[in-house]
Every structure is written in C-alpha cells, then in structure tokens.
Amino acid sequence: MAASLTGRRLTRAEILSRRTLGEQAAEAGLQLRALVGAHLAAARADWPEAGDPDSVLAAVEQAVDAFAEGYERAQRLAVRQETAARREFIDDLLYGRSDLGRLAERAERFGLRLSYEHAVAVAEGFVAYDEEDAVPRAVEQALLGRFGDRSVLLTTKAGRMVCVAPGDQAEVLSYFAKRAYAATDGGRVAVGRPQPGVGGVVQSYEEALNVLDLADRLDMDEPVLRAADLLVYPVLTRDRHAMTELVLNTLGPLESARGGAQPLLETLTVYFDAGCVSAEAARRLALSVRALTYRLERIHKLTGADPADPTHRYTLQTAVIGARLMGWPEKTF
C-alpha cells in the first residue's frame, strides 16, 4: 500500500517476501493462475482512493512478478530434483545397485512393480540420445498413445533408448522396437528375455546389451534381435579357452595361405551365411562359382575339413563363429 501511494519501487525485503510466498505456494501444489487472479482481486479490493493508478499498477506488477519468480524457481528446483531422483533410480535399477528392498519401493514411484517379471529392450541409432532429445520423446509419446499407463519405463542410457516393460506384455516391447527402428532411421533394437524379481531387470538389460555387441561382431543386419533366439552364441563363448582351441586348431592353418587367413575366413563366412549355396555365395563375394570352388578346395586342403561335408561343416561353422566373436585373426591369442 505504501509503495502504491508514494510511487516508490518495492524494497528488496518486500520483493524477497513475495518470492518466498511464491516458493511456498509452489511447494504446496497451488496453481499459479489462480494465485495471480487472487493477487489482482486483492489489489482491486484495496485500491487506494488517493493513489495514482500508474503507481498502484506498478506496485502490483512488481509484487506479482516477484511472486511468480519465486513460484517458477521452486518448480524448476522440483523438476531438477525429480530428474536427479529418476536418473539415480534408473542407474541403480539397470546396474543392480542399492538395497533390493529399497529399490523395489522406489520403483513403485515410477510405475514399476519389481516383484513381477520384466523384460528390457535397448535401441541404438547412429547418434547418441538423451532423454530430452526429440527421438526418445517421440517414441515415448507413441507408446503412451498406444498403451497408456502400463507400468512401462522409457529412458536413455549411454546414448541408447531403454524400455522396461512387464514380462507378460510382449506387445509393448514389440511396438517399442518398431517405433524405435523407424525413429532412428534404421537403427538396431535388442530385446532381453523376461526375468523375475528385482534383479531381473538387470539380467534382461545385460542380455539386450550383449545381443547388440553380438550383432556388431557378427555383422547381423536384422533390425530387431531377441536374446531368446540367440542363446546358442552365449553357449559357444561360455568356455573361452575351449573356443580359442577350436578356432586355432581348425582355422589356424589358413594363416599359411597367400594373403593370410582373412580372405578364406570371409569366404567361409559368406558361404555359410548363404546356406552353403555356392552360386549365391559366389554372387555375394563377386566371384565366379569356379573361383569360389577353388577357395573351398584350398580351405579343405589346409584345414583337412571339407565345407561340403555335413560333419566337417558343423565344426568349421562353429569355428568361424568363434573367430568372428573373438576378432581372430586380427587379434592373436
């Protein structure tokens, strides 16, 4: 009132008191629009008869502005705290940190019930993504529009999009994979198997990451890969010592060939990927069928294993997979 009568500006103490009230109102969950309306109504009710209208409006403007500033500052702080809490929870969830009981309690705040089975899908594109980027937000909006609130958590981690969904709702992760593939302009999505309990999310997430790594090593071109369909590969690599011996004993002689082992290893890789159809393998390698046949005969002579023989073929193909997984012959053992 004194400011409106004299035309002076609000003092620093008066402005701070308005800001404080704004912060308290935000923390109480009150709506800013209604509070601004209440300020204006109070100004009309207490309008001084002798005051200059411009001075009164200037004082009201300063008061409302300070109040709104405090309100917005409290909201920004709340958002930052919520974001930090969400990020901490996601880190603990995906890496299996924190007390499991406490983690389960925190999960309910974000719509997850960790006593149930959950599966995790991980999508990667040609660039790294953050939660605030347009691509993850578009995928999240598509999921919400299709399924609503189904206890689904969508986030980003290490530049990839991560979707956590109940294990009995495979359609959610399938739809996520479809939308993520389209949004990333041809990225790749890996889906882990449903796993029970609090630690199940970690297991499924690690499975999905391992599938992405496997796809890179084996040059898989499928846009969506499921851990359940690729269980043979972890089995093959579980005993690294045995796999190393198989690779070296079976394929090691190829290193004595002119040009080294790599061209012949590539020939075997393409031959097996083509279903052991010589004409198709030759086309993919840009060779004549005769040239391909010569290479296969050379492999047979060096290794003693005939790619055309079913028994030998299994050994050779397993060794080729092991070599690709372990980076041989670029990496030596």
Side-chain angles (χ1 to χ4, degrees), residues 100-113:
L100 296 184
R102 175 62 180 149
L103 189 62
E105 293 177 7
R106 292 160 62 198
E108 293 188 9
R109 175 182 173 186
F110 298 97
L112 298 179
R113 295 187 177 182

Side-chain angles (χ1 to χ4, degrees), residues 5 46-52:
L5 289 174
D46 295 333
W47 195 277
E49 296 181 3
D52 175 53

Side-chain angles (χ1 to χ4, degrees), residues 117-163:
E117 277 193 339
H118 283 83
V120 180
V122 180
E124 63 180 6
F126 302 102
V127 298
Y129 298 109
D130 186 76
E131 277 191 347
E132 299 304 316
D133 290 341
V135 168
R137 291 173 68 87
V139 174
E140 183 175 31
Q141 289 301 315
L143 279 173
L144 290 175
R146 178 70 176 270
F147 300 106
D149 183 12
R150 283 208 190 178
S151 301
V152 177
L153 176 66
L154 183 64
T155 184
T156 59
K157 190 68 183 171
R160 303 182 179 101
M161 288 182 284
V162 179
C163 183

Side-chain angles (χ1 to χ4, degrees), residues 80-113:
R80 285 197 296 269
Q81 290 175 337
E82 178 69 17
T83 301
R86 174 185 166 88
R87 177 50 58 189
E88 181 183 6
F89 165 72
I90 289 169
D91 288 345
D92 290 346
L93 178 68
L94 297 181
Y95 291 142
R97 296 195 297 250
S98 184
D99 174 76
L100 296 184
R102 175 62 180 149
L103 189 62
E105 293 177 7
R106 292 160 62 198
E108 293 188 9
R109 175 182 173 186
F110 298 97
L112 298 179
R113 295 187 177 182

